[in-house]
Amino acid sequence: MKKRTKITLRTKIYLAIAGLLAVTGALYATGHPQFLTNVSFATGVTATPDLLLVTPYCSDEIDKVNCDGTVSMFASIPGFGTCREKYMAAAPSTSGPPNNTFTPRDVFVTVGGFVYRVDINTHNATPFAFMEGCVASDHNGITFDHVGTFGYDMLVTCREGNVFRINSTGGAFMPIATVNAGEIEGPAVVPQSFGPLGGQLLVADEGFSALHAIRNNNPPGPGPYSVTLNVFTHPTAEGVFVVPQTPCTFCTGPNAGAFFQAIQDGQQIWKTPLADFAGLGGDVLVTSETTGNTVSIHWNGTQYVESLFQNIQGANEGSSFVDCAVPTATPTSTPTPTVTPTTCGTGFVIGDLDAVVGHKVTFWGAQWWKKNHLSGGTAPASFKGFVNCTTPNPPACGGTWISDPGNSSHPPDTVPADMTVIVSSLITKNGPIESGDIPKMVTIHTDPGYGPAPGHEGTGTVTAVICP
């Protein structure tokens, strides 16, 4: 479970739009949430008409929830089993051609400063984008622009306040705003019909119990963007969600649901039926992590009107409407029933200045950063020599890698007498993530004494330089 900042909670939920209009409120709930199933410390949720996915907090799995509530593994992001809040969004058809070039139905997951793409057909997870300056290890939110004011791009929020716009190439991420506030989480672009805030990106701020707005002042161009703080207040605001104009459901019959919520400390998934959203299309829901309350906000043409929508006791984390704009599977695009677990390669590393035949090297150990020499400068002291995600897989010259620090990268229990290792010329650290290049590969003959704990040093002698 994550650490939470202690704040004094209001006993009455209220909302206010700063400097604009008065807000009226209702104190009765209209939603009727129903328990669906248990998922271990459920965190992120994304729902489409034929798919409901959940990310557990302390696992590198993405779980699939079936209509009857049974849970199975859908995909894996190897090497990221560290306890983190991982949030997801499925690419809608509006973000495919001609508006954009994302592949509809692909699923995207935030893992620290990284976004991973899960191919909807193979279920393979691969690195999609890394946002420089996104230093938070978790809490990072994700959504797709369904309105068009942000070019139907992916939008990612980082806990410390940085906001990024990412197009379908992944590498072309663009910082668009910095929200100097508390703890930024779940974002959503609200429809143009949503009063003065129409077309803007609203982001929840759990730390300051508020919502902030980001406007693209020159849609659909790249900016400039302006930030308006505290457009609404809401205790420990966790996420912003737009009610579809015509809501749809995941599954049919008595097991159908139109809105799904993860209750982390209760390890539960709850669903809200379609009938509860009659007449609410275009309204906005705001969830609260600690109060359990979800409120709706409606623009009536004159002012924003608040209603207490529903209450589920517990730590409310990720939530998701069923995204009706995500197409269902076709006979040529049917999800496979099994997962390919080896989406990332692994390997030990030595410095490029040590990659000389006959040279004695240290490929693993507490003092790796002192005993290896890199042309790009000294490696971070937290790097111990093993990486848990290489691109490509298996690692090859010209590739790259990322890894968790120390033995949280999960090195193997034993090593062979002869093995191929990665050579890196530059290793950097951004938050908890370490990364490096692969200009060469070498083979080494290993010495006895290696162990997976950093105190059991792994050494050997370079026997060949494989490339270039």
Side-chain angles (χ1 to χ4, degrees):
M1 298 281 288
K2 69 178 184 181
K3 296 180 180 178
R4 299 187 179 88
T5 303
K6 292 184 178 179
I7 65 172
T8 300
L9 298 179
R10 296 168 175 85
T11 57
K12 177 181 177 182
I13 296 177
Y14 67 92
L15 294 161
I17 181 165
L20 285 175
L21 301 158
V23 178
T24 63
L27 298 178
Y28 56 89
T30 57
H32 305 86
Q34 305 163 2
F35 170 76
L36 175 60
T37 192
N38 294 105
V39 173
S40 177
F41 296 105
T43 301
V45 181
T46 192
T48 75
D50 63 351
L51 197 62
L52 176 60
L53 301 177
V54 180
T55 54
Y57 183 52
C58 292
S59 171
D60 54 14
E61 289 184 13
I62 300 173
D63 287 337
K64 175 183 176 182
V65 180
N66 296 316
C67 290
D68 60 1
T70 57
V71 180
S72 59
M73 189 172 77
F74 176 79
S76 175
I77 306 176
F80 285 99
T82 304
C83 296
R84 292 191 176 114
E85 293 182 3
K86 299 174 283 291
Y87 293 104
M88 297 178 290
S93 56
T94 49
S95 292
N99 294 331
N100 211 319
T101 56
F102 284 95
T103 300
R105 287 178 56 80
D106 280 354
V107 176
F108 296 83
V109 190
T110 60
V111 184
F114 289 86
V115 176
Y116 273 72
R117 170 183 173 267
V118 181
D119 185 290
I120 194 62
N121 296 310
T122 65
H123 300 190
N124 286 345
T126 54
F128 178 74
F130 174 70
M131 294 149 295
E132 295 178 4
C134 186
V135 300
S137 61
D138 62 4
H139 293 253
N140 303 329
I142 184 171
T143 191
F144 277 91
D145 170 22
H146 288 65
V147 178
T149 47
F150 294 83
Y152 301 97
D153 282 343
M154 177 192 301
L155 297 161
V156 176
T157 58
C158 295
R159 177 180 183 175
E160 70 277 1
N162 294 325
V163 182
F164 295 86
R165 176 174 164 180
I166 306 173
N167 68 16
S168 55
T169 66
F173 70 90
M174 179 172 60
I176 61 172
T178 298
V179 181
N180 295 311
E183 187 174 292
I184 307 305
E185 295 208 55
V189 179
V190 298
Q192 296 284 14
S193 60
F194 194 66
L197 296 172
Q200 297 190 47
L201 175 68
L202 298 189
V203 299
D205 185 342
E206 180 183 329
F208 281 8
S209 294
L211 269 63
H212 313 298
I214 299 166
R215 176 191 292 275
N216 179 0
N217 296 321
N218 186 30
Y225 300 84
S226 59
V227 176
T228 304
L229 297 177
N230 305 314
V231 294
F232 298 114
T233 62
H234 184 59
T236 58
E238 179 70 20
V240 181
F241 307 93
V242 177
V243 182
Q245 286 292 345
T246 305
C248 55
T249 65
F250 168 69
C251 300
T252 58
N255 291 326
F259 183 62
F260 294 86
Q261 293 174 267
I263 308 301
Q264 190 182 85
D265 52 359
Q267 306 188 63
Q268 299 169 344
I269 301 297
W270 286 67
K271 63 181 180 179
T272 304
L274 180 68
D276 288 357
F277 299 102
L280 300 184
D283 288 357
V284 167
L285 298 189
V286 184
T287 58
S288 170
E289 177 168 331
T290 56
T291 71
N293 288 321
T294 298
V295 300
S296 65
I297 309 172
H298 172 71
W299 171 254
N300 68 5
T302 302
Q303 60 186 352
Y304 289 98
V305 180
E306 170 215 348
S307 299
L308 174 60
F309 180 70
Q310 65 188 25
N311 181 283
I312 305 174
Q313 290 300 312
N316 193 327
E317 291 291 346
S319 301
S320 177
F321 272 100
V322 177
D323 191 340
C324 314
V326 176
T328 56
T330 65
T332 59
S333 179
T334 303
T336 59
T338 57
V339 177
T340 303
T342 54
T343 58
C344 286
T346 60
F348 288 100
V349 181
I350 64 170
D352 64 324
L353 299 181
D354 301 301
V356 178
V357 173
H359 198 73
K360 188 81 168 181
V361 294
T362 298
F363 59 85
W364 172 253
Q367 301 298 311
W368 191 100
W369 66 285
K370 289 184 177 180
K371 297 186 176 183
N372 281 270
H373 308 89
L374 288 70
S375 59
T378 304
S382 59
F383 184 66
K384 307 306 179 186
F386 186 75
V387 304
N388 54 15
C389 192
T390 68
T391 303
N393 177 22
C397 291
T400 59
W401 58 262
I402 58 176
S403 185
D404 289 323
N407 60 350
S408 62
S409 58
H410 303 295
D413 292 336
T414 61
V415 294
D418 294 278
M419 66 177 180
T420 301
V421 304
I422 295 166
V423 175
S424 287
S425 64
L426 177 65
I427 298 175
T428 59
K429 188 174 187 291
N430 191 319
I433 304 299
E434 296 161 328
S435 59
D437 59 354
I438 311 178
K440 297 180 182 180
M441 302 281 289
V442 300
T443 58
I444 64 172
H445 183 73
T446 61
D447 300 325
Y450 164 83
H456 295 276
E457 199 168 73
T459 62
T461 302
V462 177
T463 56
V465 176
I466 298 175
C467 57

